[in-house]
Amino acid sequence: MERVDRCVVLVDAGYLLGAAASLLAGEPARSRITVDHAALIQGLRERAQADTEQPLLRIYWFDGAPDRVPQPEHRRLRVMPRVTVRLGALTRSDGRWAQKGVDAAMHAELTELARNRACSDVVLVTGDGDLLPGLMSAKEHGVAVHLWAVQAADGDYNQSEDLVAEADERRVLDRAWITKAVRAKDLGGVCAPSPAPRPEIAAILSAPLPESALAASAERAAQAQSRPPAPPGRNGSAPPPADNAAEPQTAPPGARTVPTPKDLAGLRAPTADRQPAPSQHPGGATLRWSSDKGWVERPGSGPSGEPPETASLPTLAQLTSAEQRWADREEDITTVGGDPFEVGQVFARRWMERLPESGHVQKLSVMYPRVPHRIDGELLRYAARFGLLAHKDDQIDEHDRYAIRAGFWREIDVRAAESA
């Protein structure tokens, strides 16, 4: 079998981005950096073709993900031309995240490419010595192996010395090259034009609390101040406060409490004779949220707070045929990037396009500012397919929830305006 003269790039994302974070932010946490993946892929492609003097066949991006569920960055990468994403597991042990199966997948891909003579040159972006047998096997099949390293923060090696010694060619990706696509977050750097802030999310986060919420907060503070002091403990010290009698915590100067869904439900909708102030509704955004807790029933509402006429609203699953379900899955895989706002828009678009009658949209508006429970649950389950709402550093990302529902309502508003 004749060997094809072209190059392939195998990237260990954990090594590349972790080493870049160490170099730019002083620690290997990928959360400390911002990555422009399009610029990074383009830089890898151009550098590989220049170093090997061969056209690029493909870039393989190896990374870990919880339960091997593609994260938003993986979904953006895998729809780029000449990019293939291979995911291993990401597990947490002793408070640290660790990749499982990534090295084995890289080894298998490397040896398979060499055995089938699919390329003449392989570029390895890794530092793991476990790939040494695969590297040696590729060389035995006549493949030239180029080993790339990320400049180490301390000026020393951040790769296996055996791997370095066995490679045919070696290159160091220095700080100047890395910063074309990667920036440290704490330095305020951005590697691509920042997207315009979503006015819907900004409105939710910056909206003032309604008078009812402020009054309730003042009442709780007054009750706490009027509470008699607790008797001293057995040793003369004050006993620890009970769970239901904890002292109120004072927010630091300049800090702002994010309004809850219940707070937002108390905000009145703008009318013709009363328009919201710019600080309340930046960008003319509509404040809408969803919550089953703290919902104030409206006249004619049922026990759950949902008007009877909206209880009959069909879910997306009820409106979707088997053929449409297949097409939806295909679209999710190939074109939906996984941005929370975008996910909410896609769900709303499909739901509206499949409604048997336009009157259902008017029924939905009756629920302002709350998404009906069944539709809201289906929306969040759909978002979970993209790795959203997962535990990130042991915390559920509430900002994703704001963005998902903001995208949903914005699409509803746009489609309703078009049909009006």
Side-chain angles (χ1 to χ4, degrees), residues 119-296:
C119 58
S120 58
D121 297 74
V122 169
V123 175
L124 290 178
V125 187
T126 185
D128 199 328
D130 290 344
L131 279 177
L132 182 60
L135 186 154
M136 297 174 66
S137 175
K139 290 175 62 178
E140 292 173 357
H141 283 87
V143 174
V145 179
H146 305 251
L147 182 65
W148 289 1
V150 176
Q151 179 182 340
D154 54 6
D156 200 357
Y157 282 130
N158 54 12
Q159 291 178 305
S160 163
E161 292 188 16
D162 291 336
L163 208 63
V164 171
E166 195 66 31
D168 293 310
E169 302 285 347
R170 184 170 183 261
R171 176 174 292 279
V172 176
L173 304 175
D174 59 17
R175 181 187 293 268
W177 189 91
I178 291 293
T179 52
K180 292 178 181 178
V182 183
R183 292 288 188 274
K185 286 183 179 178
D186 55 347
L187 298 180
V190 293
C191 50
S194 300
R198 299 289 187 186
E200 300 83 354
I201 303 174
I204 291 173
L205 296 178
S206 64
L209 297 181
E211 296 179 1
S212 59
L214 294 175
S217 177
E219 182 180 356
R220 287 193 297 270
Q223 291 175 353
Q225 292 178 357
S226 62
R227 185 179 298 117
R234 183 173 301 177
N235 297 326
S237 60
D243 291 342
N244 60 351
E247 295 183 4
Q249 308 236 342
T250 304
R256 193 187 182 289
T257 303
V258 176
T260 66
K262 181 179 178 180
D263 297 329
L264 295 177
L267 290 171
R268 292 177 297 170
T271 59
D273 58 340
R274 184 183 62 80
Q275 294 299 324
S279 61
Q280 292 178 325
H281 300 273
T286 301
L287 293 181
R288 295 176 177 174
W289 193 237
S290 172
S291 175
D292 290 332
K293 297 181 179 180
W295 175 256
V296 179

Side-chain angles (χ1 to χ4, degrees), residues 87-111:
L87 294 180
L90 191 63
T91 59
R92 193 173 180 87
S93 177
D94 297 329
R96 300 184 63 182
W97 291 103
Q99 295 181 160
K100 300 293 183 183
V102 172
D103 295 336
M106 289 189 70
H107 179 277
E109 198 71 55
L110 175 59
T111 55

Side-chain angles (χ1 to χ4, degrees), residues 3 60 75 115 152 165 197 245 281 290 295 338 348 361 419:
R3 186 185 65 226
Y60 289 90
R75 304 186 71 86
R115 184 182 300 113
H281 300 273
S290 172
W295 175 256
V361 178
S419 60

Side-chain angles (χ1 to χ4, degrees), residues 92 95 97 391-396:
R92 193 173 180 87
W97 291 103
H391 288 268
K392 301 174 182 178
D393 297 329
D394 296 331
Q395 296 291 330
I396 294 178

Side-chain angles (χ1 to χ4, degrees), residues 308-342:
E309 60 269 20
T310 62
S312 61
L313 284 175
T315 62
L316 180 60
Q318 293 170 336
L319 298 170
T320 304
S321 66
E323 292 79 7
Q324 289 172 324
R325 190 173 297 109
W326 185 91
D328 289 348
R329 195 64 175 169
E330 184 76 8
E331 182 183 12
D332 290 343
I333 293 172
T334 58
T335 61
V336 180
D339 174 76
F341 191 89
E342 177 193 14

